[in-house]
Amino acid sequence: MTVDITDPRAAEVIPAAHGLRPRRRIGIGARLTEALRQPVLVLAWLVVLTAAGWALFPWLFTSVSPYEGNPALSFSPPSSEHIFGTDRLGRDLFARSVYGAGTTLTATLLAVLIAFGAGTLVGLIAGYLGGAVDTVIMRVIDVLLSIPSLLLAMVIVSVLGYSTHNIAIAVGISAIASFARVMRSEVIVIVNRDYVRAAYGLGVGRLGVVLRHILPNSLSSVVALAALEIGTSILAVASLGFLGYGAPPPEPEWGLLVAEGRDYLAVYPWISILPGIALALVVIATHRISTSFRKEHRR
Amino acid sequence: MLHYAALKIGRALFVIWAAFTITFLLLFVLPAEPVDLLFDPAELNTIPEDVRAQVAANYGFDKPLLLQYLDRLGHAAVGDFGTSVQSGRPVTQALLEVLPSTLILSVGALLLAVVIGFAIALLATATRRPWLRNLLESLPSAAVSVPVFMFGIVLLQVFSFGLGWFPSFGDGGWQSLVLPLVTLAIPVSGPIAQLLVRSFTGEMGAGYVVTSFAKGATRGQVIVGDVFRNASLPALTIAGITFGNLIAGSVITETVFARPGVGRLTQGAINTLDIPVVQGIVVFVAASFALINLIVDLIYPLLDPRLRASLAARTS
């Protein structure tokens, strides 16, 4: 295959091969005004940063223990003292939601890292080597994609045993296939680019070409997918937690928090609904941000 | 065309076989002692060795792996996935028993999701108010961002406990179907609506649409007469994804509303580590997925003459 010089994508990628990635220089002021023109996006970032703060420094946001409750105060509705109310054991639900962010978001991050790392590697191997290796890998990926990822994750968790870590591993493994497929289709295009052939011509070894030229130039799509996958993984982790495959009960985890309130839904709805709303807001915010990434990527 | 069909059928069969093999590896080979999975982990240490050996022999775990694999594969080929560890009943029978309930729920939810998807896409294309368009276009991504169990719980809270319009659980009469249906339909409608909005917007800029406008057609006439059919077809390409969403959603929905069905069966089988049932369900789901994709692959060329022409050119 010869590369069409008039292909605008080719022109865009060639400078990058020499490490001279073209970058629009925009001052901080200009960036800020641009950002403020999209108030929803600013709001989304605030939500995500708050959730990250909850996960990293929970003690800054609440001074109450997420484990110890005051039985005298059980089932108190949201008030200025307990803004999310309290649960069956009188534990502060806001504190449990704040500490739960750490459990849920750590698992999410681990899941995305596994899916991204393994998926990128498998896609790179399939796309670069081609031939029989590619065929075998792609058929296996077809099969993995034909099992709904929640079901696949449930099966993997049942084999590994119940815990938040295993949920993260299961969610990560079940997302490998989609990363591998995207990565492979990118690599196949890049492998035939003129600058890759030029690198071979200049005597660069195979590994060098893969690491210096093919990998960096084919990553952008998988990175965009990883941003999108964060939201999806939070949902998957929380769903598995909700079904009871995650941390054992005293542990705060968002999906589990919602599940714990289910039995009291008719009388004390806030137990399920307030942590659930926090969870939904974070996922909506990450989706909004990843969409803005993709738009930027396309420009 | 015949070659194309044979290729697609071969791929579908491969997917089903491979799904069986992968679940066999995961469930029967990876665990060091698969027989231990059959017992309650808390009581595992109290179980006498001879009982374990007998159970292992019952399930064929004492035979060489390859023999176990071929034995199970041979039976699975004729639809026999062994017997449930928990109930002792054949897996296929247990699955077929709860299937109608899930089918009613999923088909109903699918229809509702398609209606919602088209409603959003048509309104977003028809309106000339940018704010309304933006709002409509952001609905699908919100629909896939909110966890399925949250929809279920909020609907329960409002319409069952709050207003008392519908029962909160069970499987009796159409009233008990309404809330699960809506719960399942909303997340399923998200991707459909997203695809339709994109497809409708794309078609609105096509040459034949400009021609229709030039000939004096109104916006409504153009959308209904010209764009609708051409823009709807791509929705078929995400049939597989939609099916996956329906299955995953039904696991959660059936749990929230305590409805019997394939989803509840799956959850129960995973909870009790009922390996034969888990394998049966996974293979069944993969087979359904492969069948749906096969049907789409085969009928799409019939519906879209452009694709038919390109296929004929490629295979001849």
Side-chain angles (χ1 to χ4, degrees), chain B residues 294-313:
Chain B
L294 178 65
I295 293 172
V296 170
D297 281 341
L298 293 185
I299 65 169
Y300 207 94
L302 302 179
L303 298 176
D304 192 338
R306 289 167 294 185
L307 191 64
R308 195 160 54 215
S310 81
L311 264 181

Side-chain angles (χ1 to χ4, degrees), chain A residues 72-93:
Chain A
L73 287 174
S74 62
F75 297 125
S76 32
S79 61
S80 58
E81 208 162 313
H82 300 285
I83 55 172
F84 278 23
T86 64
D87 68 1
R88 177 174 56 97
L89 302 170
R91 292 176 297 198
D92 182 61
L93 280 167

Side-chain angles (χ1 to χ4, degrees), chain A residues 6-24:
Chain A
T6 54
D7 182 354
R9 280 172 307 171
E12 191 182 287
V13 185
I14 287 165
H18 304 286
L20 299 169
R21 204 172 266 271
R23 191 169 287 168
R24 280 170 301 143

Side-chain angles (χ1 to χ4, degrees), chain A residues 139 143 145-148 150-151 154-155 158-159 162 235 238-239 242-243 245 258 262 265-266 269 276 279 283-284 287, chain B residues 11 14-15 18-19 22 26 144-145 147 149-150 153 157 161 248 255-256 266-267 270-271 273 278 282 285-286 289:
Chain A
R139 289 292 83 81
V143 177
L145 288 174
S146 71
I147 305 171
L150 184 74
L151 187 58
M154 281 168 80
V155 173
S158 75
V159 174
Y162 300 167
L235 280 184
S239 297
F242 176 80
L243 291 172
Y245 301 136
V258 177
R262 257 181 70 205
L265 199 57
L279 165 64
V283 182
I284 293 175
H287 269 170
Chain B
R11 283 212 177 154
F14 172 81
V15 163
I22 288 177
L26 264 177
V144 293
S145 300
F149 54 82
M150 274 311 290
I153 280 174
Q157 173 57 27
F161 299 131
T255 305
V256 171
T266 312
Q267 210 218 338
I270 300 258
N271 283 348
L273 287 170
V278 174
V282 173
V285 168
F289 181 90

Side-chain angles (χ1 to χ4, degrees), chain B residues 144-165:
Chain B
V144 293
S145 300
V146 178
V148 184
F149 54 82
M150 274 311 290
F151 282 123
I153 280 174
V154 170
L155 287 175
L156 263 181
Q157 173 57 27
V158 174
F159 294 101
S160 183
F161 299 131
L163 298 168
W165 290 356

Side-chain angles (χ1 to χ4, degrees), chain A residues 8-40:
Chain A
R9 280 172 307 171
E12 191 182 287
V13 185
I14 287 165
H18 304 286
L20 299 169
R21 204 172 266 271
R23 191 169 287 168
R24 280 170 301 143
R25 290 187 195 284
I26 304 174
I28 291 180
R31 262 181 188 276
L32 261 181
T33 35
E34 200 186 296
L36 287 176
R37 234 176 275 148
Q38 292 177 288
V40 181

